[in-house]
């Protein structure tokens, strides 16, 4: 279970804005968010830094949001 959509919406980002941060197309990001395409680890790292959380939280391995510094 990916939490990409919840994180994006909780932080008031659009899919286009996140796609720009990840340097990918909005459609590609949509596929990551809907789990139709597997998201590369490098992009998960960028998202974890952006949201100040862990990759484990993003992919649903923990429910601990963790307070990492944001970029």
């Amino acid at each position: 279970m990916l939490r990409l959509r919840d994180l994006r919406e909780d932080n008031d980002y659009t899919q286009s804005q996140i796609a720009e941060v990840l340097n990918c197309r909005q459609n590609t990001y949509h596929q990551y968010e809907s789990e139709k395409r597997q998201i590369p680890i490098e992009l998960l790292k960028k998202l974890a830094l952006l949201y100040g959380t862990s990759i484990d939280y993003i992919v649903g391995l923990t429910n601990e949001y963790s307070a990492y510094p944001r970029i």
Side-chain angles (χ1 to χ4, degrees):
M1 169 185 122
L2 294 176
R3 295 180 163 140
L4 296 177
R5 181 179 180 180
D6 291 339
L7 284 165
R8 178 178 57 77
E9 290 177 346
D10 289 348
N11 288 276
D12 297 320
Y13 288 119
T14 64
Q15 285 186 346
S16 295
Q17 289 171 315
I18 298 301
E20 187 174 324
V21 169
L22 300 179
N23 197 29
C24 69
R25 293 182 11 221
Q26 184 272 331
N27 185 51
T28 301
Y29 179 75
H30 170 74
Q31 291 175 349
Y32 296 148
E33 203 172 270
S34 62
E35 298 187 60
K36 292 179 181 174
R37 178 182 278 201
Q38 192 170 16
I39 186 167
I41 190 73
E42 290 302 317
L43 299 185
L44 283 171
K45 288 179 188 178
K46 285 183 180 183
L47 290 169
L49 288 171
L50 176 69
Y51 294 128
T53 190
S54 67
I55 292 172
D56 288 350
Y57 180 79
I58 293 172
V59 299
L61 292 176
T62 183
N63 289 325
E64 293 294 320
Y65 188 87
S66 301
Y68 291 103
R70 290 176 172 233
I71 56 170

